[in-house]
Amino acid sequence: MEPFLRIEGVSKFFGQFQAVKDVSLTIAKGEIFSLLGGSGCGKTTLLRMLAGFETPSAGRIFLDGEDLADVPAYARPIHMMFQSYALFPHMTVAKNISYGLKYENMTPAQRKDRLREMLDLVQLTPYADRKPHQISGGQRQRVALARALARQPKLLLLDEPLAALDKKLREHTQFELMSIQARTGVTFIVVTHDQEEAMTLSDRIAVMDKGSVQQIGSPTAIYEYPNSRFVAGFIGSITTFAATVAALNGDQVRLHVADFGAEITARAIENLNVGQEVVLALRPEKLHISHDCTLEGNVIAGQVKDLAYFGKDSLYRIVLPSGALVSAHMVNASRGSGTRADWDDNVFLSFDPASAIVLPA
Amino acid sequence: MIGWFHRRGWSDIIIALPYLWLVVLFLIPFAIVVGISLSTRTVTAPPIGFGGDNPWVSLSSYARLFQDDLYLRAFFTSITNAFVAMILCLAIGYPMALGLTRVSRNWRNILLMLVILPFWTSFLLRVYAWMGLMSKNSWFNEMLRDSWNFLVPVNWAVTFVPMMYSNFAVVLVMVYTYLPFMILPLFASLERLDPVLDEAAFDLGSRPWQVFVDITLPQSIPGIIAGGLLVFIPAAGELVIPSLVGDTRAPMIGRVISDTFSSARDWPMAAAVAVVLLLLMVVPMMVYSHYQAKGGAR
């Protein structure tokens, strides 16, 4: 079956600088898809090409089987929610929301119905006659969303939708966005630099760096099975160690890690050979700290160098005999467990072989 | 040292200075003009007198102003010329100001320089340059004449293009002179507009000219009003341009005031015309400050 949105080998040059490098991806109808990456990774340029504000230097974009190359921005069934919201300051909330309907072939009554429906969807009916400067930031965000949805787009582009909101409002708005998406069934493409925002909102994420897509997958796949050091480091935190493949055993691999002075077991990835240099990446929450050495699995010894107690959890920094530092994160699941290990205590770290991430060097 | 401005006395003096300026150089002279307009003409020096009869002041100058069609026609000519000049300045200046906001920063600085460049030469010199161009025997006039004669039937042919000493010449030179006063406030208001708003309107299905009408134009109204007033007010009271290139049979009000004051030595009449002109100008100013106050609340 033809995918809903197909981006095919799209590149964009600004002079000598290549902002987007040969990006290909497909997005299904009704999906919330995130483009995640730091500033300058090309995610915004890709979004602007979808909206029609930039023309791809190479490659093609198909929406619902239609090539968008010759379709100008105003004729695309794609609408955008701008990062700054870009509300028209000289128009009321109602005028802003119904602006997209102005040149549509609709009767005044149909326009009015649609406006009422949209005001209702974002719960702004009492504010219809206010100007954008007379409402709060969260309300402005909802006006921008309603304005973009009013014309019933096939695809909605959201540029950093939560970036301008404070922390409390973000969480609330996040769930609201998801519920509005579920109710309207519109396909969402979200551009964000915030990994948490991408993880919670999206069905799938494309992690971008330096203009190209590094990995595409569900939030779980991206977090638990990153395919590169960049993706592993960008999503969540990791501690990395240089390692050498000592032995291969089915879906498990024995790694010699110089910093541990020992061999450990980890889940294997494809195309590994004995003697190959790889990277072992450990996530802080996958490590378990204990005072005794009777633990199962991979065990390494170390000393507590630093600890930060946050109440519900604690973060430890453990120094290994080689001098390397490992971060470990413990949930304080029972009272007193926060004082399990103290500064300068000698402790043992253990982790499950399945939780250790092996990455190509 | 740091708090010297806030020390009692200093701050009051500094804040009072502009008001003092206004009182000494505007309010007091204006009060004198109003006073003169209420006097009657005499043969003394100065040629004004406040009669011993009752009433003590005289409104006869104002009465004459509304009876003598010389003054009414002069007001009409002035306001029409100023209005036409303002509309032409807007029509020429708006695309230029919009263009200035759309070019690269380097180009913008060069083009802004070019807009202001005419101020570096004497204003009179520039008016004389136009007089040279428009006069009967100039190369410019001959060029226009030849192209006219080439394009129209023989019996419409002319020996020169009559441009000088007409309202056309006055409006042309006023448009040329006051164009920067239109462009600069327009540019200032257009430059403040967020280009993302244009993109948002495009994105919502509007074609380029619809974006202009719906988004750019309504947001630049304060700039249009500011530029319009900066052109209209001095143009309505303009003395030099109509004196040099204008139609002497249909003088503008500035010329009438000047002639009434100096040649006719009718100070009360000249003062009365000046007071009415000022009142006419105050009305658009009040409209402007009303819009300013509304814009400030945004």
Side-chain angles (χ1 to χ4, degrees):
Chain A
M1 198 192 91
E2 173 74 18
F4 187 60
L5 177 77
R6 185 151 57 90
I7 298 173
E8 217 178 69
V10 164
S11 293
K12 178 69 186 177
F13 286 89
F14 293 109
Q16 289 295 306
F17 174 70
Q18 189 171 7
V20 174
K21 290 176 194 162
D22 193 26
V23 168
S24 293
L25 47 90
T26 59
I27 293 170
K29 196 171 179 132
E31 201 174 8
I32 303 187
F33 190 91
S34 287
L35 297 169
L36 175 64
S39 60
C41 75
K43 60 189 194 297
T44 304
T45 307
L46 187 60
L47 197 76
R48 290 176 61 82
M49 287 193 281
L50 288 173
F53 300 142
E54 306 282 355
T55 318
S57 309
R60 298 205 289 174
I61 301 169
F62 296 90
L63 180 69
D64 224 356
E66 185 195 4
D67 190 342
L68 291 180
D70 297 322
V71 185
Y74 58 77
R76 293 188 182 194
I78 299 175
H79 296 319
M80 180 142 158
M81 200 179 102
F82 292 82
Q83 183 176 5
S84 60
Y85 308 146
L87 299 182
F88 306 129
H90 57 296
M91 297 184 193
T92 61
V93 167
K95 282 262 162 56
N96 263 285
I97 293 176
S98 54
Y99 182 75
L101 310 174
K102 190 171 172 182
Y103 301 110
E104 286 278 87
N105 192 12
M106 293 171 96
T107 65
Q110 283 172 319
R111 255 180 225 127
K112 222 169 163 183
D113 281 351
R114 190 95 190 101
L115 170 64
R116 198 175 309 129
E117 193 185 323
M118 283 297 121
L119 282 169
D120 204 44
L121 181 74
V122 294
Q123 296 154 38
L124 282 173
T125 312
Y127 302 94
D129 294 325
R130 302 256 187 112
K131 290 271 183 74
H133 71 270
Q134 294 166 319
I135 57 176
S136 73
Q139 288 165 341
R140 263 177 241 162
Q141 196 253 16
R142 272 144 55 197
V143 175
L145 181 66
R147 186 179 70 175
L149 285 171
R151 267 169 50 119
Q152 292 173 305
K154 288 185 176 174
L155 186 63
L156 184 71
L157 310 174
L158 301 99
D159 190 2
E160 305 274 0
L162 306 176
L165 303 176
D166 60 54
K167 199 167 184 280
K168 264 242 167 72
L169 205 53
R170 288 173 76 124
E171 276 176 28
H172 175 76
T173 309
Q174 205 161 297
F175 288 114
E176 201 174 65
L177 270 183
M178 289 163 81
S179 100
I180 286 176
Q181 195 272 341
R183 266 185 286 166
T184 54
V186 174
T187 309
F188 277 24
I189 297 186
V190 181
V191 150
T192 179
H193 68 277
D194 184 324
Q195 42 140 325
E196 266 182 51
E197 192 174 309
M199 300 280 281
T200 46
L201 273 177
S202 328
D203 297 317
R204 283 192 309 146
I205 299 173
V207 182
M208 291 186 70
D209 183 39
K210 293 180 194 131
S212 26
V213 172
Q214 303 294 319
Q215 188 173 359
I216 301 176
S218 67
T220 327
I222 298 263
Y223 187 79
E224 302 291 356
Y225 305 99
N227 65 1
S228 66
R229 224 166 142 158
F230 174 80
V231 175
F234 192 80
I235 315 258
S237 51
I238 49 161
T239 316
T240 55
F241 301 94
T244 318
V245 176
L248 284 160
N249 178 19
D251 63 345
Q252 292 205 320
V253 60
R254 291 287 289 170
L255 294 179
H256 178 77
V257 184
D259 279 322
F260 299 167
E263 279 186 9
I264 57 111
T265 309
R267 201 184 67 90
I269 55 169
E270 281 170 27
N271 304 323
L272 284 181
N273 300 309
V274 174
Q276 191 184 339
E277 301 281 323
V278 292
V279 171
L280 172 70
L282 298 173
R283 294 215 184 266
E285 77 281 3
K286 303 278 197 286
L287 294 171
H288 187 78
I289 299 175
S290 173
H291 273 111
D292 44 356
C293 187
T294 58
L295 296 159
E296 297 285 313
N298 302 309
V299 180
I300 37 178
Q303 193 180 33
V304 177
K305 184 164 184 284
D306 255 325
L307 82 85
Y309 174 69
F310 297 111
K312 68 175 159 52
D313 47 19
S314 301
L315 188 67
Y316 296 84
R317 302 245 283 163
I318 312 288
V319 61
L320 302 183
S322 72
L325 282 169
V326 196
S327 294
H329 182 251
M330 298 284 292
V331 175
N332 298 324
S334 60
R335 258 193 199 172
S337 63
T339 55
R340 180 166 29 213
D342 214 338
W343 270 277
D344 298 332
D345 278 5
N346 286 313
V347 291
F348 295 96
L349 288 170
S350 71
F351 55 91
D352 186 17
S355 301
I357 301 164
V358 181
L359 298 168
Chain B
M1 187 63 197
I2 287 165
W4 69 269
F5 182 83
H6 297 288
R7 204 164 295 154
R8 232 194 123 54
W10 271 114
S11 62
D12 291 356
I13 289 171
I14 288 171
I15 292 163
L17 271 176
Y19 288 98
L20 198 70
W21 175 276
L22 209 65
V23 167
V24 171
L25 294 175
F26 176 73
L27 281 182
I28 293 175
F30 184 63
I32 294 172
V33 170
V34 171
I36 293 174
S37 77
L38 296 172
S39 68
T40 45
R41 188 180 172 197
T42 66
V43 286
T44 57
I48 51 167
F50 294 95
D53 325 344
N54 211 13
W56 191 69
V57 295
S58 160
L59 287 171
S60 60
S61 298
Y62 289 96
R64 255 168 64 211
L65 195 154
F66 290 104
Q67 284 152 11
D68 191 336
D69 74 332
L70 166 75
Y71 300 109
L72 296 181
R73 281 219 316 262
F75 270 118
F76 180 76
T77 310
S78 299
I79 285 172
T80 323
N81 282 352
F83 188 76
V84 172
M86 178 186 80
I87 295 297
L88 289 175
C89 280
L90 182 62
I92 300 166
Y94 202 102
M96 287 175 80
L98 197 59
L100 279 170
T101 65
R102 303 286 159 94
V103 295
S104 73
R105 199 152 280 279
N106 290 336
W107 267 109
R108 177 186 297 184
N109 291 338
I110 293 168
L111 293 174
L112 271 174
M113 268 278 283
L114 290 177
V115 168
I116 307 166
L117 203 63
F119 289 127
W120 291 11
T121 4
S122 152
F123 160 66
L124 271 179
L125 207 61
R126 286 182 283 135
V127 179
Y128 277 111
W130 272 111
M131 289 168 72
L133 282 178
M134 289 189 294
S135 64
K136 274 186 206 176
N137 302 316
S138 73
W139 62 267
F140 182 67
N141 203 317
E142 283 169 4
M143 188 185 78
L144 289 181
R145 178 198 64 195
D146 292 345
S147 2
W148 170 262
N149 290 349
F150 178 75
L151 289 171
V152 299
V154 180
N155 51 346
W156 287 10
V158 290
T159 48
F160 66 94
V161 181
M163 288 189 283
M164 276 298 282
Y165 312 116
S166 65
N167 282 332
F168 166 80
V170 172
V171 169
L172 177 71
V173 177
M174 286 202 301
V175 167
Y176 164 76
T177 307
Y178 292 119
L179 192 57
F181 296 107
M182 178 62 88
I183 293 177
L184 296 177
L186 274 179
F187 170 71
S189 84
L190 287 169
E191 197 204 10
R192 274 205 303 268
L193 303 186
D194 188 350
V196 174
L197 296 183
D198 290 2
E199 282 186 353
F202 273 125
D203 187 64
L204 290 164
S206 297
R207 281 161 176 72
W209 68 269
Q210 292 166 332
V211 175
F212 175 76
V213 171
D214 293 339
I215 309 301
T216 312
L217 195 60
Q219 291 190 91
S220 63
I221 285 174
I224 294 175
I225 291 174
L229 287 174
L230 284 177
V231 173
F232 183 78
I233 291 173
E238 180 63 52
L239 169 67
V240 176
I241 295 171
S243 297
L244 291 175
V245 306
D247 181 356
T248 43
R249 285 159 305 165
M252 280 175 64
I253 202 69
R255 185 63 194 271
V256 168
I257 295 174
S258 165
D259 285 353
T260 312
F261 193 84
S262 52
S263 323
R265 280 186 73 75
D266 190 347
W267 285 23
M269 191 63 220
V273 176
V275 169
V276 171
L277 179 64
L278 186 120
L279 291 180
L280 278 176
M281 295 301 107
V282 162
V283 174
M285 278 302 278
M286 280 164 70
V287 172
Y288 177 49
S289 40
H290 172 72
Y291 265 94
Q292 282 265 300
K294 254 173 82 177
R298 188 145 71 205

